[in-house]
Amino acid sequence: MITVRSYRHPGDYQSVSKFLITHHLPGNLDGNWLEPAWEYMHAHPWLDTAALDKIGIWEDNGEVVGAVTYESRLGEAFFQFHPAYRHLRTEMLDYAEANLAGTSGKDGSRHLGAFINNFDREFLDLVQHRGYSKDELETRSMCCWEIPDPFPSIILPPGFRLTSLAEKCDWSKVHRVLWRGFNHPGEPPTGEGELESRRRLFDTPKARRDLKIAVTAPNGDFTAFCGMFIEPINRFCYVEPVATDPDYRRMGLGKAAVLEGIRRCALLGAEMAHVGNDLPIYRSIGFQPVFYSECWVKRW
């Protein structure tokens, strides 16, 4: 019998993790989140942990067969399916509207951005019938690259070198390159709390510091950074996040960090690399889109 209930953290974390690994298809053709994205979500400092019990879990005789979750805060919904239970679309959308909608601080109106894969025609028809409109700016891509053998050369300018957090773990340098790399103005805020939030983001339960890659400048600063996750059961790696200090852009440093992370994962058995973005840096490596997750928004 199929039942639905609220997510209970941390007890349900591993159940959903196992579900995503079990039903993964090569190239992410299942359309679900990659399991490392679930792991990364739970460590992100922007996550609204107070709303975790709003996540919905569907079970059939105790086995997880579906989940609907937000990524960082209420107002967004992502749908994860066992391949034999896609008929739950309507029920899961009902749940998302009732439990995951965000509320405007200005007028109290409610809104939901439902992320629907572009190959799921039935789900796209459903949200349009419900009055949702597509937000083109929020559409996300899932891109893949079959890791080649031999692996391509990694080129750095003279004086720059590749390192990892296993070799040199300086959270202040990580914090600075991510702050500047994501175009925040000025220098990053300081304090132990800021550095601890960065540590939690990269020291997740299955993370490896040797897969967190930095490019160092001749003065020792981190100029580019790439977080990398490996999922050994399905033999793939996941790129998240990547940032380059604006003072060092257009030098190939971000690309070098990504390639080094993938190269190390390949040595550990990864055959495919994934990234949730189709920026030119990834296209230049060889990543190609597999599907798009379209954002459909309703306000009421």
Side-chain angles (χ1 to χ4, degrees):
M1 183 177 78
I2 300 175
T3 58
V4 59
R5 62 175 177 80
S6 297
Y7 176 71
R8 296 187 291 264
H9 187 74
D12 285 333
Y13 174 85
Q14 290 295 342
S15 297
V16 176
S17 178
K18 179 182 177 182
F19 162 78
L20 294 172
I21 291 171
T22 300
H23 300 294
H24 175 81
L25 294 177
N28 199 199
L29 294 178
D30 53 284
N32 291 332
W33 272 9
L34 301 171
E35 192 277 339
W38 174 250
E39 180 178 353
Y40 188 72
M41 162 196 156
H42 280 77
H44 204 287
W46 291 355
L47 176 67
D48 179 3
T49 57
L52 285 174
D53 62 354
K54 300 288 188 180
I55 295 171
I57 304 292
W58 278 255
E59 294 176 318
D60 193 347
N61 292 318
E63 177 190 356
V64 176
V65 296
V68 58
T69 181
Y70 61 98
E71 184 178 49
S72 59
R73 59 183 58 85
L74 296 178
E76 55 192 17
F78 299 83
F79 303 85
Q80 322 300 326
F81 293 99
H82 183 296
Y85 290 80
R86 293 191 177 274
H87 60 277
L88 296 173
R89 292 179 186 90
T90 301
E91 183 178 332
M92 293 172 77
L93 184 60
D94 289 342
Y95 181 96
E97 290 183 353
N99 295 277
L100 299 183
T103 303
S104 169
K106 294 182 179 180
D107 59 11
S109 63
R110 302 172 70 223
H111 59 90
L112 183 70
F115 286 80
I116 312 297
N117 295 331
N118 66 327
F119 60 77
D120 194 339
R121 188 69 258 169
E122 187 171 337
F123 211 162
L124 292 173
D125 289 343
L126 173 61
V127 293
Q128 289 176 75
H129 180 73
R130 290 275 185 97
Y132 286 73
S133 300
K134 184 161 68 168
D135 184 344
E136 298 281 1
L137 296 178
E138 293 298 325
T139 291
R140 304 182 180 192
S141 61
M142 176 51 66
C143 296
C144 298
W145 183 44
E146 187 173 351
I147 302 174
D149 185 14
F151 199 79
S153 300
I154 303 174
I155 301 171
L156 286 172
F160 290 80
R161 61 181 293 270
L162 290 160
T163 187
S164 76
L165 295 189
E167 178 183 344
K168 183 175 182 59
C169 189
D170 187 325
W171 295 114
S172 63
K173 291 183 178 182
V174 174
H175 184 39
R176 186 174 190 273
V177 71
L178 291 175
W179 178 267
R180 291 176 54 78
F182 284 106
N183 299 318
H184 298 294
E187 291 298 312
T190 59
E192 287 301 317
E194 295 288 336
L195 300 186
E196 175 60 14
S197 71
R198 293 299 188 190
R199 187 200 66 77
R200 289 198 307 269
L201 187 60
F202 295 111
D203 276 349
T204 52
K206 291 183 283 187
R208 296 177 53 133
R209 288 189 177 184
D210 59 327
L211 300 181
K212 312 304 180 187
I213 308 299
V215 178
T216 61
N219 65 1
D221 286 346
F222 286 179
T223 61
F225 187 85
C226 173
M228 189 71 65
F229 296 81
I230 187 167
E231 204 290 274
I233 295 175
N234 290 297
R235 303 175 73 86
F236 69 79
C237 58
Y238 176 59
V239 182
E240 181 70 56
V242 176
T244 302
D245 188 305
D247 289 344
Y248 294 92
R249 288 176 180 163
R250 301 188 181 280
M251 298 173 64
L253 305 181
K255 180 177 180 179
V258 173
L259 283 171
E260 176 64 11
I262 295 173
R263 185 190 70 82
R264 294 186 183 207
C265 288
L267 294 175
L268 296 169
E271 299 172 347
M272 185 77 72
H274 297 263
V275 67
N277 206 306
D278 61 355
L279 287 170
I281 180 178
Y282 305 117
R283 293 280 195 158
S284 71
I285 290 172
F287 282 90
Q288 294 294 325
V290 177
F291 64 84
Y292 292 92
S293 185
E294 300 176 354
C295 180
W296 288 82
V297 179
K298 182 178 180 180
R299 303 179 190 279
W300 64 99

